[in-house]
Amino acid sequence: MPGAGQGAAARPQRPESPEEPLAREDLLLAAAYVSDAQYNRNVPFETSPQAIRLYYFYNHWTMQAITYFFICIDLSLALFEEPALFPLPFLATSIAEVLCLTAFFGRLVHFAKVTPQRVFWKDTKNICVMLTIALTLIDLIIYGSLETVNIHSVRWSRALRPVFLINFPESRQIRRAFRSIRNTLPDILYVFLLFMFSVLIFSLMALKLFGDRGLKTVEGSPYFTNILEIAFELYVLVTTANSPDVMMPAYDFNWWYSLYFITYIIINTYIFMSVFLAVVYNNYRKHLKNEIRKLAYLKRHKMTEAFNILKVKMDTEFVVKEAPWRQLVKVVAPDISSSHLELLLRICDEGQKGYMDKTNFLRLADLLNIQVVTINVKTHPLETWLPRVYQSAASLLIQKMVRHRIFVWVYDVIILINAIFIALDEKNPLISYAEWLFLSLYIVEILLKLYTYEPRAYFGRKQFWNWFDTLIIMAALVAMVANATIQSARKYNSQQILDIVLILRILRLLRVIVSIQRFRVIVTTLINIGPTMLTFGGLVLVVYYVFAIIGMEVFHGKVLFFDPNFTAPGALVCGNPALEDSIFAQSRYCRNNFNDLASSFIVLVELTVVNHFTLLANGFALVTHQVAKLYFIGFHIVVVILIVNIFIAFILEAFFVAYSLEKSEVETAIEKKIQELGVGVQEEEVQDGKLIDNVDTKDCGFSGDDGDNKRKSLKGLYFRIASKKYRTVDALLQRMFESEIAPEDEGPSLDEILNFSPSDIYPKNPNFENSA
């Protein structure tokens, strides 16, 4: 980062005397670098004390929450502006928008205060935000002025509102997805042009084959006599939305003509669409590797800068002493527990020398990203109150049975049998009584587990399945008792209550799926990539919003929805005579309109599914102009062909990485140290509340010169790695490349890192192209 790099170079070196205290400004600067490396931020910032404090404030979660709050308000204004779902006066919506623009401008000014000026003005996203603010204000003034003299105009700036969601630094994931699309477009363009050439060739063939034969469609209109209509119908046929309807007039005339449509589908639907996916996936993967390479080098660069601030010379090498390292970690992670801090220190300072070298220091950001759960082991209340009974032979046998794997398998089988009974006819008395039996077995299971495992551990914060099972069973018990009571009174049959509970209880089958190893791998992978998949949710939201605003401006009021009981003549044609005798009106598609934001989104979802694509497009073309079909074709190209294929490419890459990569070096180092210190709990052994009986029985305090004191403070504390549940695809892909960077390699300069392109190949990592 130019500003940060120059600031670091201008700073005088710290004195070599270990007794020299660390300046607060240096500590904050080093912590800013480490925090950026931890969260993969690549924001260049000034290194002056005032700029650093402003940078901390800029990155505070409250500031980010406020920014997203105003972004949500700005986007939701379309619900209250004409055409509106909940109409509000123009003055109210315009004041709200001006407040949002003021917040965005303030956020931009704040960013300018912490960033070097030449970097700020070279950053495209800052220019985009400023231009969008200016254009929105101009549009507000023009629209408001025309409204005062009762002249209606178009609010064209509303389509620019997603720019704020994309271009603020907090939305770097969505921005990366847009960059992937932008970088993939040139390669896709050639395939798309070839595809369109194929469609046009087949359109000309269709015109010559069918144009002069006097064929009619189902509606009675001429069949394949207009080249533009033919091209549109054949484009829709690629989506299969109008198959086999578009073929039937020719097929009825002569069955040999079906070969034309079959050939077209094979070439354009199966071959070209597969080539689209292949090109998108190949280019997405190439550009993703470039992004991850940039992130990996930026992280190394920032951690090196932090090391250079804190380092002192000992003998022939530079190191970071324990005291400043502790201060640094407390600033970066103020909520870290003392036991967790001690664990990290033991990993970074393996020899307990009181300092750590550069190699161990550079791992700090990764160490902080790995979630280590501290487990405070408690004694079971029954063991305290009734020690003899709880430790008796019969009691120990019960505990041993409950802990055994067969106990879980038995209840998995019971759940499956219960699912079969639920599917049977519940009017049969035998089935009804069996439900009470199953419910009793489930209650016995919970009571046995509470007897074996410490209750507070069993219902711990992260014991989701325990809470899930207990709540489902309690709900079933309450509902069945209530149902039996009501039925005995013969006043009301509450079968609906029981049906809901039965449906909920079927969800217990998820526990069986998770208990099977191969299923668990898939489910865990889906959970891991879930947060990153939200990136594509934001991407789709942006595209939907832009197309919805355009659709509202072009199509609102053209199609109206009337209550089915409405008797007015216009109700049969959706309030527009142009739709008379159309399939759109006959299918009662009147509610599929662009009269407000919510309705527009529903239409776009239907277009994404593609079914009846041609019906919707033809309907809106009838009420406006045939050119309106370009809107629907454009939406299909952007969403279905481009974004959906990139989403598929992302899912493929995420699964390949999650399946192929094992634990990272850093993760393994933490687990190894946990086991060495005798404070380890295996990940697989903490399911269903097994937090007490599977831990080591040895003392769990850390050893050392002050081991006795630490034993007292850490008595009863155990650790386990929880990162498997929180691992992200970004982290997996980044680790894929980081393995190619040698510890002593500081990498290219910052300007070179920020200007990486997919074609760059550095001699320092010759195996990178094969690392995926």
Side-chain angles (χ1 to χ4, degrees), residues 624-668:
T624 51
H625 191 275
Q626 292 300 311
V627 179
K629 292 179 179 178
L630 294 176
Y631 170 88
F632 298 92
I633 293 175
F635 178 83
H636 181 265
I637 293 171
V638 172
V639 175
V640 179
I641 292 182
L642 195 57
I643 293 180
V644 170
N645 278 330
I646 284 184
F647 179 71
I648 293 171
F650 165 76
I651 294 295
L652 290 173
E653 191 68 14
F655 261 87
F656 292 157
V657 172
Y659 264 67
S660 61
L661 287 181
E662 298 298 330
K663 293 177 187 175
S664 69
E665 245 178 74
V666 184
E667 211 169 337
T668 306

Side-chain angles (χ1 to χ4, degrees), residues 105-123:
F105 185 71
R107 185 70 168 161
L108 197 65
V109 170
H110 191 170
F111 186 65
K113 291 289 185 180
V114 302
T115 310
Q117 284 193 7
R118 71 181 188 87
V119 176
F120 178 85
W121 292 107
K122 283 175 62 178
D123 196 335

Side-chain angles (χ1 to χ4, degrees), residues 225-467:
T225 57
N226 182 295
I227 186 66
L228 294 179
E229 286 289 340
I230 295 171
F232 175 74
E233 291 291 344
L234 291 183
Y235 179 87
V236 176
L237 183 57
V238 172
T239 70
T240 69
N242 59 347
S243 177
D245 296 347
V246 69
M247 179 183 71
M248 292 312 297
Y251 185 41
D252 290 339
F253 182 76
N254 191 325
W255 74 272
W256 281 102
Y257 286 137
S258 65
L259 296 178
Y260 163 85
F261 292 96
I262 293 171
T263 304
Y264 176 84
I265 289 172
I266 291 172
I267 293 175
N268 291 283
T269 300
Y270 293 106
I271 295 179
F272 267 108
M273 289 300 106
S274 298
V275 170
F276 265 120
L277 177 59
V279 171
V280 168
Y281 174 68
N282 182 60
N283 286 278
Y284 170 79
R285 190 169 182 270
K286 179 176 67 176
H287 293 292
L288 178 64
K289 285 169 64 178
N290 182 60
E291 292 276 354
I292 298 303
R293 178 175 57 176
K294 184 186 295 186
L295 286 176
Y297 270 123
L298 278 170
K299 181 196 284 189
R300 176 61 60 87
H301 176 81
K302 290 174 184 293
M303 291 304 299
T304 302
E305 288 288 334
F307 178 81
N308 290 335
I309 295 171
L310 303 178
K311 69 183 181 183
V312 295
K313 193 168 186 180
M314 291 190 67
D315 299 330
T316 59
E317 65 173 341
F318 286 98
V319 298
V320 174
K321 302 288 287 183
E322 179 181 329
W325 184 91
R326 285 175 177 274
Q327 291 177 304
L328 176 70
V329 174
K330 290 298 288 183
V331 173
V332 176
D335 297 327
I336 192 170
S337 65
S338 58
S339 54
H340 189 180
L341 179 62
E342 289 293 334
L343 179 64
L344 297 185
L345 178 61
R346 290 308 174 94
I347 295 166
C348 292
D349 182 13
E350 290 191 43
Q352 301 180 36
K353 296 172 289 189
Y355 61 87
M356 57 217 64
D357 57 16
K358 183 178 179 180
T359 302
N360 283 313
F361 181 86
L362 293 181
R363 299 196 299 177
L364 179 58
D366 291 321
L367 288 171
L368 292 171
N369 272 332
I370 294 176
Q371 184 176 9
V372 179
V373 178
T374 305
I375 302 165
N376 193 359
V377 179
K378 304 176 181 70
T379 305
H380 199 290
L382 291 177
E383 189 174 4
T384 304
W385 301 333
L386 303 169
R388 287 189 177 182
V389 175
Y390 195 75
Q391 294 297 331
S392 65
S395 175
L396 292 175
L397 178 62
I398 293 173
Q399 295 173 43
K400 185 177 180 180
M401 289 171 53
V402 174
R403 293 191 200 103
H404 203 281
R405 185 65 182 168
I406 294 178
F407 183 81
V408 179
W409 292 343
V410 167
Y411 268 93
D412 287 346
V413 172
I414 291 173
I415 293 171
L416 291 175
I417 296 173
N418 189 191
I420 295 172
F421 272 75
I422 291 173
L424 299 176
D425 184 10
E426 295 211 3
K427 293 180 180 179
N428 188 322
L430 178 63
I431 304 297
S432 180
Y433 294 141
E435 192 55 43
W436 283 102
L437 174 62
F438 285 119
L439 185 60
S440 302
L441 290 174
Y442 295 145
I443 294 173
V444 168
E445 178 196 18
I446 293 172
L447 293 176
L448 285 174
K449 286 185 175 181
L450 288 174
Y451 180 82
T452 304
Y453 307 122
E454 202 277 325
R456 286 170 294 181
Y458 184 81
F459 289 116
R461 251 189 339 167
K462 301 194 179 291
Q463 299 303 315
F464 168 77
W465 291 110
N466 297 338
W467 282 100

